[in-house]
Amino acid sequence: MEALETRELRYFVAVAEELHFGRAAERLRMAQPPLSRAIQQLERRLGVCLLQRNRRGVRLTGAGEVLLHEGRAALDATAAAARRTRRAGGADSPDGSRGRLVLAVKAAASHELLRRLLDAYAAEPGSAEIEVLPCGISEQEVLLRDGRADAALLHTPWNSLTGFDSEALATEGQIAVLPAGHHLAARETLSLADVREVPDLPLARWPAHGTYAPGPGPEIHNQTQLAQLIALGRTVAVVPDSARSWLWAEHAAVPLSDAPPVVTHIAWPAHSRSPALAGLIRTAARL
């Protein structure tokens, strides 16, 4: 069987997500009859039924569920390849302009490490231009997967390295950040149980893959919101030790004795063949 085409994958994903040929056709800005014919042709080529059609609408078959998952991944990979190729093209342009790499980083994290990396790489002969892209909570991984970033600073155990190559750059402990006047702020160390069981200070909740775990603590959307809620005595947060750089006078930081270490990695797509990116990784490994 010949390979699937990007066009027909895009058609199928639109129908599978809308579960309605009319809405999918509007989304694709095309007429409905050719869309229906394209899906039928795809089913014949694959030799499977992808969609069950009846008077009540459209639903996916088991095979259709598989193709929706695989099709989304394939389209994302195609878009990512196009984005990265355009950025890399600067190195081959007639005017001799430098190539460009986008490095996604968590906003306010790893300031000193990032500065050292950028300075060291800029000193390398033929280095590419680095665009630093500060991200919200857990966004670096998404940007790296969809091609908006060429590399990212990821932090385990919170970020996933699945599907990436990576190099560990730094390891640090974790701290509890509390209101400066709270009675726990006077302790030399705390345990995770200590900060989870404070009745008047619920633990801040971070998103994981776009969702928040249940709990009484506030849902955290950005660093500024977190800093203000801690200062107001509404929450306590568990963060890497390097977060001390953004603390306010109204905050107190206490080391956690039993929190797992946080490891900062530079991560990149496992299939990358970019010479500029390889240079950045070599520089990072020498830090």
Side-chain angles (χ1 to χ4, degrees):
M1 187 194 72
E2 59 192 84
L4 293 173
E5 298 178 2
T6 302
R7 175 185 56 84
E8 58 191 358
L9 280 178
R10 188 162 49 87
Y11 288 179
F12 172 75
V13 168
V15 175
E17 290 180 344
E18 298 291 343
L19 292 178
H20 190 281
F21 276 89
R23 289 195 298 269
E26 291 179 6
R27 170 172 153 182
L28 293 165
R29 297 182 179 179
M30 63 185 298
Q32 183 174 334
L35 175 60
S36 298
R37 289 195 296 271
I39 299 300
Q40 291 168 356
Q41 182 180 13
L42 176 61
E43 289 177 316
R44 286 196 297 270
R45 287 181 55 219
L46 292 174
V48 296
C49 177
L50 300 171
L51 301 165
Q52 293 285 357
R53 308 160 178 83
N54 56 46
R55 287 178 296 179
R56 291 178 296 178
V58 177
R59 70 176 183 84
L60 289 170
T61 64
E65 292 279 2
V66 170
L67 186 58
L68 175 58
H69 174 77
E70 298 288 346
R72 282 171 171 160
L75 292 173
D76 287 346
T78 300
R83 290 182 179 121
R84 293 190 178 106
T85 301
R86 291 191 193 101
R87 287 197 296 272
D92 302 318
S93 62
D95 63 4
S97 60
R98 300 161 68 196
R100 184 167 64 94
L101 295 173
V102 175
L103 177 63
V105 301
K106 181 180 178 182
S110 309
H111 286 308
E112 179 60 23
L113 177 63
L114 179 58
R115 183 193 61 76
R116 287 168 47 215
L117 173 59
L118 295 176
D119 288 349
Y121 181 66
E124 292 291 325
S127 61
E129 176 188 356
I130 300 292
E131 177 185 342
V132 177
L133 184 59
C135 302
I137 300 168
S138 300
E139 286 183 347
Q140 317 98 286
E141 186 183 333
V142 174
L143 298 178
L144 186 54
R145 293 191 189 282
D146 71 11
R148 283 178 286 172
D150 300 288
L153 294 186
L154 301 181
H155 311 278
T156 57
W158 299 310
N159 298 127
S160 172
L161 298 173
T162 301
F164 302 134
D165 283 341
S166 63
E167 181 80 26
L169 302 182
T171 301
E172 60 185 314
Q174 297 193 62
I175 57 174
V177 181
L178 311 101
H182 196 274
H183 69 275
L184 288 180
R187 298 268 295 272
E188 290 188 4
T189 62
L190 292 169
S191 69
L192 287 172
D194 291 333
V195 297
R196 287 172 179 153
E197 297 171 2
V198 185
D200 61 333
L201 208 61
L203 193 62
R205 291 184 293 140
W206 308 90
H209 305 293
T211 61
Y212 291 84
E219 296 181 354
I220 301 304
H221 303 285
N222 56 61
Q223 176 198 316
T224 301
Q225 175 209 19
L226 174 64
Q228 186 169 40
L229 289 174
I230 295 173
L232 292 172
R234 300 302 177 92
T235 191
V236 58
V238 173
V239 296
D241 189 76
S242 57
R244 294 176 185 269
S245 63
W246 56 259
L247 298 187
W248 300 356
E250 295 88 348
H251 299 152
V254 182
L256 290 167
S257 59
D258 58 349
V262 176
V263 182
T264 298
H265 305 256
I266 186 167
W268 63 96
H271 58 271
S272 175
R273 296 295 182 270
S274 165
L277 179 58
L280 177 64
I281 302 307
R282 286 194 299 270
T283 300
R286 291 196 297 266
L287 291 179

Short mmCIF file of all heavy atoms in Angstrom, two decimals, residues 165-189:
data_model
loop_
_atom_site.label_atom_id
_atom_site.label_comp_id
_atom_site.label_asym_id
_atom_site.label_seq_id
_atom_site.Cartn_x
_atom_site.Cartn_y
_atom_site.Cartn_z
N ASP A 165 16.03 13.21 23.18
CA ASP A 165 17.37 12.99 23.71
C ASP A 165 17.63 14.10 24.71
O ASP A 165 17.05 15.20 24.61
CB ASP A 165 18.41 13.04 22.60
CG ASP A 165 18.43 11.76 21.77
OD1 ASP A 165 17.92 10.72 22.26
OD2 ASP A 165 18.93 11.79 20.63
N SER A 166 18.49 13.85 25.69
CA SER A 166 18.70 14.87 26.72
C SER A 166 20.07 14.72 27.36
O SER A 166 20.70 13.66 27.29
CB SER A 166 17.61 14.77 27.80
OG SER A 166 17.68 13.52 28.48
N GLU A 167 20.48 15.80 27.98
CA GLU A 167 21.75 15.84 28.72
C GLU A 167 21.46 16.53 30.05
O GLU A 167 20.91 17.64 30.09
CB GLU A 167 22.78 16.64 27.93
CG GLU A 167 24.13 16.75 28.59
CD GLU A 167 24.98 15.50 28.39
OE1 GLU A 167 24.77 14.79 27.38
OE2 GLU A 167 25.85 15.25 29.25
N ALA A 168 21.79 15.85 31.15
CA ALA A 168 21.58 16.45 32.48
C ALA A 168 22.61 17.55 32.71
O ALA A 168 23.81 17.36 32.47
CB ALA A 168 21.68 15.39 33.56
N LEU A 169 22.15 18.70 33.18
CA LEU A 169 23.04 19.86 33.35
C LEU A 169 23.24 20.23 34.82
O LEU A 169 24.32 20.71 35.18
CB LEU A 169 22.47 21.08 32.62
CG LEU A 169 22.23 20.93 31.12
CD1 LEU A 169 21.72 22.24 30.54
CD2 LEU A 169 23.48 20.48 30.39
N ALA A 170 22.23 20.07 35.65
CA ALA A 170 22.35 20.50 37.04
C ALA A 170 21.34 19.76 37.91
O ALA A 170 20.27 19.37 37.42
CB ALA A 170 22.12 22.01 37.15
N THR A 171 21.70 19.57 39.17
CA THR A 171 20.81 18.94 40.14
C THR A 171 20.72 19.84 41.37
O THR A 171 21.74 20.39 41.82
CB THR A 171 21.35 17.55 40.55
OG1 THR A 171 21.46 16.73 39.39
CG2 THR A 171 20.41 16.87 41.54
N GLU A 172 19.52 20.00 41.89
CA GLU A 172 19.33 20.86 43.06
C GLU A 172 18.23 20.29 43.95
O GLU A 172 17.42 19.45 43.53
CB GLU A 172 18.96 22.28 42.63
CG GLU A 172 17.69 22.36 41.81
CD GLU A 172 17.41 23.76 41.30
OE1 GLU A 172 17.52 24.73 42.08
OE2 GLU A 172 17.07 23.89 40.10
N GLY A 173 18.21 20.75 45.18
CA GLY A 173 17.16 20.36 46.10
C GLY A 173 15.92 21.20 45.93
O GLY A 173 15.84 22.05 45.03
N GLN A 174 14.94 20.95 46.81
CA GLN A 174 13.70 21.71 46.76
C GLN A 174 13.48 22.44 48.08
O GLN A 174 14.00 22.04 49.13
CB GLN A 174 12.52 20.78 46.47
CG GLN A 174 12.60 20.10 45.11
CD GLN A 174 11.28 19.45 44.73
OE1 GLN A 174 10.26 20.12 44.57
NE2 GLN A 174 11.30 18.13 44.56
N ILE A 175 12.71 23.51 47.99
CA ILE A 175 12.39 24.32 49.16
C ILE A 175 10.89 24.52 49.26
O ILE A 175 10.17 24.39 48.28
CB ILE A 175 13.08 25.70 49.10
CG1 ILE A 175 12.67 26.43 47.81
CG2 ILE A 175 14.58 25.57 49.22
CD1 ILE A 175 13.19 27.87 47.71
N ALA A 176 10.45 24.83 50.46
CA ALA A 176 9.07 25.27 50.68
C ALA A 176 9.10 26.79 50.77
O ALA A 176 9.92 27.35 51.49
CB ALA A 176 8.50 24.68 51.95
N VAL A 177 8.22 27.45 50.01
CA VAL A 177 8.12 28.90 50.06
C VAL A 177 6.83 29.25 50.80
O VAL A 177 5.73 28.86 50.37
CB VAL A 177 8.12 29.53 48.66
CG1 VAL A 177 8.04 31.05 48.76
CG2 VAL A 177 9.37 29.11 47.90
N LEU A 178 6.97 29.96 51.92
CA LEU A 178 5.85 30.28 52.81
C LEU A 178 5.78 31.79 53.02
O LEU A 178 6.74 32.51 52.75
CB LEU A 178 6.02 29.61 54.18
CG LEU A 178 6.36 28.14 54.25
CD1 LEU A 178 7.83 27.95 54.53
CD2 LEU A 178 5.53 27.47 55.34
N PRO A 179 4.65 32.27 53.57
CA PRO A 179 4.61 33.67 53.99
C PRO A 179 5.66 33.90 55.08
O PRO A 179 5.86 33.05 55.96
CB PRO A 179 3.19 33.82 54.55
CG PRO A 179 2.42 32.67 54.00
CD PRO A 179 3.38 31.55 53.80
N ALA A 180 6.34 35.03 55.03
CA ALA A 180 7.46 35.28 55.94
C ALA A 180 7.05 35.20 57.42
O ALA A 180 7.85 34.80 58.26
CB ALA A 180 8.08 36.64 55.63
N GLY A 181 5.81 35.55 57.73
CA GLY A 181 5.39 35.56 59.12
C GLY A 181 4.83 34.25 59.64
O GLY A 181 4.45 34.15 60.81
N HIS A 182 4.78 33.22 58.81
CA HIS A 182 4.19 31.94 59.22
C HIS A 182 5.12 31.23 60.21
O HIS A 182 6.34 31.32 60.12
CB HIS A 182 3.96 31.06 58.00
CG HIS A 182 3.03 29.92 58.26
ND1 HIS A 182 3.46 28.72 58.77
CD2 HIS A 182 1.69 29.79 58.10
CE1 HIS A 182 2.43 27.90 58.90
NE2 HIS A 182 1.35 28.54 58.50
N HIS A 183 4.51 30.48 61.15
CA HIS A 183 5.32 29.86 62.20
C HIS A 183 6.30 28.82 61.65
O HIS A 183 7.37 28.60 62.21
CB HIS A 183 4.43 29.24 63.28
CG HIS A 183 3.67 28.03 62.84
ND1 HIS A 183 2.45 28.10 62.20
CD2 HIS A 183 3.97 26.71 62.95
CE1 HIS A 183 2.02 26.88 61.94
NE2 HIS A 183 2.93 26.01 62.37
N LEU A 184 5.98 28.19 60.53
CA LEU A 184 6.90 27.20 59.94
C LEU A 184 8.12 27.85 59.31
O LEU A 184 9.13 27.18 59.07
CB LEU A 184 6.17 26.36 58.90
CG LEU A 184 5.14 25.35 59.41
CD1 LEU A 184 4.50 24.60 58.24
CD2 LEU A 184 5.78 24.36 60.38
N ALA A 185 8.05 29.14 59.03
CA ALA A 185 9.16 29.83 58.38
C ALA A 185 10.39 29.89 59.28
O ALA A 185 11.50 30.10 58.78
CB ALA A 185 8.74 31.24 57.98
N ALA A 186 10.22 29.67 60.58
CA ALA A 186 11.35 29.72 61.50
C ALA A 186 12.10 28.40 61.58
O ALA A 186 13.19 28.33 62.18
CB ALA A 186 10.86 30.11 62.89
N ARG A 187 11.57 27.35 60.96
CA ARG A 187 12.22 26.03 61.01
C ARG A 187 13.45 25.99 60.10
O ARG A 187 13.51 26.66 59.06
CB ARG A 187 11.22 24.96 60.57
CG ARG A 187 9.98 24.83 61.46
CD ARG A 187 10.17 23.81 62.54
NE ARG A 187 10.31 22.48 61.95
CZ ARG A 187 9.28 21.67 61.69
NH1 ARG A 187 8.03 22.07 61.95
NH2 ARG A 187 9.48 20.48 61.19
N GLU A 188 14.45 25.20 60.47
CA GLU A 188 15.64 25.06 59.64
C GLU A 188 15.38 24.16 58.44
O GLU A 188 15.91 24.39 57.35
CB GLU A 188 16.80 24.49 60.47
CG GLU A 188 17.33 25.47 61.50
CD GLU A 188 18.60 24.95 62.16
OE1 GLU A 188 19.10 23.88 61.75
OE2 GLU A 188 19.09 25.62 63.08
N THR A 189 14.56 23.13 58.64
CA THR A 189 14.15 22.25 57.54
C THR A 189 12.70 21.84 57.76
O THR A 189 12.17 21.93 58.88
CB THR A 189 15.01 20.97 57.45
OG1 THR A 189 14.86 20.22 58.65
CG2 THR A 189 16.48 21.31 57.21
#
